[in-house]
Amino acid sequence: MATLYTQAESNIHKTWFYLTGFLIFIIVLGWLISYLAGSYIILWVAVAYSVLMSFFSYWYSDKIVLAINKAEPIKKENNLELYRLVENLCITAGLPLPKIYIIREDQPNAFATGRDPKHAAVVVTQGLLGRLERNELEGVIAHELSHIGNRDILLSTIIVVLVGVVVIITDLFFRISFYGGFGGRNNREGGQMRIILLAVSLLLAVLAPLLAALIKLAISRKREFLADASGALLTRYPEGLARALEKISQDPHSLKVANNSIAHLYIASPFRGRQSKSWLNKLFMTHPPIEERIRALRGMKI
């Protein structure tokens, strides 16, 4: 059975795996475009770009995520009760105090981000603070601190940046190919090269979003179950988080800042009334069903 420590080590390995995979993907794509276009300058540009974006996603992905979600920092004097709650849980968990942010929206939800426990942030919505009782809010914060402790946050956050970059690059490749941006190595080969480029770029344009969904699936579902269990062990009160999840899932408000690229970061899916119940949609859900999580929490023996 996975523990907090084995999961943390596993997530660190996965982080470097995805960063390395991103580097290789961009370099291979750059080589392919360079070969077909007859200009290896594109390959050097792809190498430089992939290295730069990997560095950027490691150091700044959390700031990008906070900006996308329009999260605002909370000052201690503005919400002393929340700060004390987070401080007490951090002492119990042996974690440094993360920065605390708020999203000014009515849907109750939360997530954590950052590259490591020393550079972490916990984000809550205004609706979460308004709707949950103290022991329920404590359960949610403990869940997010568990994500920080087992290094889920870096893995989840860099995926937002890297997947977005891959989709943008493949879309740009398709547009350049479609409008004849590459003419081939000479006039005779120009038409043939353009057909090959169009075929390759169309394939990438179709596969990139699917790859993005599969990557998010690979990192999201198990981490939620583990963070639920770790959070419940931290508070010694699984019922608090179970009741919080019930309230979060039943709330009808939509989260305006949410989109598919960041939905997997939240404690529960931020979409309300926009989720299809088809088997295909369930296959690509980034979160396990709330009912299963609540059942698992209420089945815990503490």
Side-chain angles (χ1 to χ4, degrees), residues 188-208:
R188 182 186 304 176
E189 297 177 339
Q192 184 179 4
M193 288 299 102
R194 188 183 177 197
I195 292 173
I196 295 174
L197 283 168
L198 277 171
V200 172
S201 60
L202 181 61
L203 181 64
L204 289 172
V206 172
L207 291 180

Side-chain angles (χ1 to χ4, degrees), residues 63-79:
K63 295 179 177 60
I64 294 173
V65 169
L66 291 170
I68 291 174
N69 285 278
K70 299 180 180 178
E72 305 171 8
I74 299 178
K75 294 182 179 179
K76 186 173 183 177
E77 58 268 23
N78 293 338
N79 199 321

Side-chain angles (χ1 to χ4, degrees), residues 85-98 141 145 234:
L85 187 152
V86 177
E87 285 175 339
N88 290 338
L89 287 172
C90 285
I91 291 171
T92 304
L95 293 170
L97 181 69
I141 298 299
L145 291 177
L234 185 59

